[in-house]
Amino acid sequence: MEKTLKHSLYADLGLLAVALVWGSGFVASKSALDSMTPMMLMALRFSVAALLSGIIFRKNLKHLSKETIKAGCIIGFFLFSAFAAQMIGLQYILAGKQAFLTATNVIMVPFIYWAVKKKKPDLYNFIAAFIMLLGLALLTIDFSTGFSCNSGDVLTLLCAFLFACHIVVVGIFSKQHDPIALTVIQLAFAAIVSLVYVIVSGEFTVSVPVPGLLSGVYLGVFCTFLAFLGQNMAQKYTSSTHAAIILSLESVFGSTLSIILLGDVFTLAMFMGCIIIFIGIITAETKWSFLKIKQNNPEKIIEP
């Protein structure tokens, strides 16, 4: 029992660290964009992550089938597209604001899955979607200029949609292929496409200022490779619902760090929008099961 509690505590701390690192990624990305283009940042980030994962998990890449490579490339396409929309949009939006808008992908997932697998979302998903719309209105619409919405908001919402698609295809293909192999392939796909783009477009450069280079490496090592690895390891010792609650703090950390480190200024309406969106995320991810009366038997650890 003590060993289980110990593992659960370590899992919670690990997931909290992952949420913090992911939240800091918005700040690091915003800082890195001062010294390089969005696509160059993606090329750096995914190249670092792909090389690390390829070296460490090289045994999982032996005897790859064409089906696994194809599945990994499809997942990689959505990963690349989502990050491209996010990085380009980040040039026109506050990092903290983008953290909350990106997090709305968890509310979109059930509806995309409905379209693909014909499995209708439950009542909590519809309630979460309604809550999200209210929060989005407060967070993104500038009521002083007649309900205007800037390009950064639109691109970030597109990014959230693409991340939701990414989650859906990962859920489908990970049941048919080795998840680790799929991870390496999708990272490699995103790295290769990013590199090809910056080379063809002429954006490629090795003269990246040290601060930008460090931010890019940080994103590749910590926010991409180690964060995903840490999440997979931690979720082995906790329930999916419990993990979702902790990981949803990513948006809170992202906003808080952007205010502290970047000096982002939130209006009262934006702040209220963040709170409402967070409530929507919790509703979609947990269905408020943690408020239900627990049975006498302790909760069984659920592996994802």
Side-chain angles (χ1 to χ4, degrees):
M1 183 67 177
E2 284 186 19
K3 188 175 181 181
T4 301
L5 290 175
K6 187 177 180 180
H7 283 159
S8 296
L9 176 61
Y10 287 154
D12 287 352
L13 292 175
L15 290 170
L16 188 64
V18 170
L20 176 59
V21 169
W22 277 346
S24 70
F26 292 96
V27 177
S29 297
K30 189 72 171 181
S31 300
L33 289 175
D34 291 335
S35 56
M36 69 183 89
T37 66
M39 296 305 296
M40 185 62 206
L41 176 57
M42 286 181 58
L44 175 59
R45 173 179 188 164
F46 285 114
S47 294
V48 170
L51 285 173
L52 278 175
S53 60
I55 293 171
I56 295 175
F57 299 118
R58 58 186 180 279
K59 291 183 179 179
N60 294 78
L61 301 179
K62 293 181 179 179
H63 312 297
L64 283 177
S65 66
K66 291 182 178 180
E67 290 74 20
T68 299
I69 295 175
K70 181 180 178 180
C73 288
I74 293 174
I75 295 172
F77 167 78
F78 284 107
L79 182 70
F80 167 81
S81 301
F83 270 104
Q86 185 182 64
M87 290 299 100
I88 296 173
L90 189 54
Q91 297 176 107
Y92 314 106
I93 190 174
L94 296 175
K97 184 179 179 181
Q98 188 180 71
F100 271 95
L101 290 180
T102 303
T104 60
N105 71 80
V106 301
I107 302 172
M108 301 177 188
V109 168
F111 295 94
I112 296 175
Y113 195 79
W114 183 15
V116 175
K117 290 293 186 177
K118 310 304 178 185
K119 183 179 179 181
K120 187 177 180 179
D122 59 27
L123 179 61
Y124 286 98
N125 295 128
F126 284 102
I127 293 174
F130 178 73
I131 294 173
M132 179 191 73
L133 290 175
L134 292 177
L136 287 176
L138 289 172
L139 187 58
T140 63
I141 297 175
D142 185 356
F143 296 96
S144 64
T145 58
F147 301 94
S148 64
C149 188
N150 68 46
S151 57
D153 296 336
V154 175
L155 284 168
T156 302
L157 287 174
L158 173 61
C159 149
F161 171 75
L162 291 168
F163 270 130
C165 292
H166 175 263
I167 292 171
V168 171
V169 294
V170 167
I172 294 173
F173 288 126
S174 62
K175 293 178 176 61
Q176 306 167 8
H177 307 276
D178 177 13
I180 293 179
L182 290 178
T183 299
V184 178
I185 294 170
Q186 69 170 318
L187 291 175
F189 180 92
I192 291 171
V193 174
S194 299
L195 284 169
V196 169
Y197 179 88
V198 294
I199 291 172
V200 172
S201 66
E203 294 180 22
F204 181 81
T205 178
V206 293
S207 303
V208 178
V210 174
L213 181 62
L214 291 177
S215 293
V217 172
Y218 173 80
L219 288 167
V221 175
F222 291 94
C223 298
T224 307
F225 174 69
L226 289 179
F228 282 116
L229 182 61
Q231 178 192 10
N232 290 336
M233 293 175 63
Q235 282 198 242
K236 182 178 181 180
Y237 301 104
T238 190
S239 68
S240 298
T241 297
H242 194 69
I245 296 172
I246 298 176
L247 289 175
S248 65
L249 292 173
E250 170 195 356
S251 57
V252 178
F253 285 131
S255 273
T256 303
L257 290 173
S258 70
I259 292 172
I260 295 173
L261 300 177
L262 300 178
D264 285 359
V265 179
F266 274 42
T267 63
L268 179 60
M270 291 170 64
F271 180 72
M272 291 302 297
C274 290
I275 293 177
I276 293 173
I277 287 176
F278 187 68
I279 292 173
I281 293 168
I282 293 295
T283 301
E285 285 278 25
T286 70
K287 307 184 191 304
W288 297 100
S289 60
F290 56 92
L291 294 180
K292 297 177 183 177
I293 299 176
K294 292 186 176 181
Q295 302 297 324
N296 293 328
N297 294 327
E299 181 183 3
K300 182 180 179 182
I301 300 299
I302 302 175
E303 295 184 17

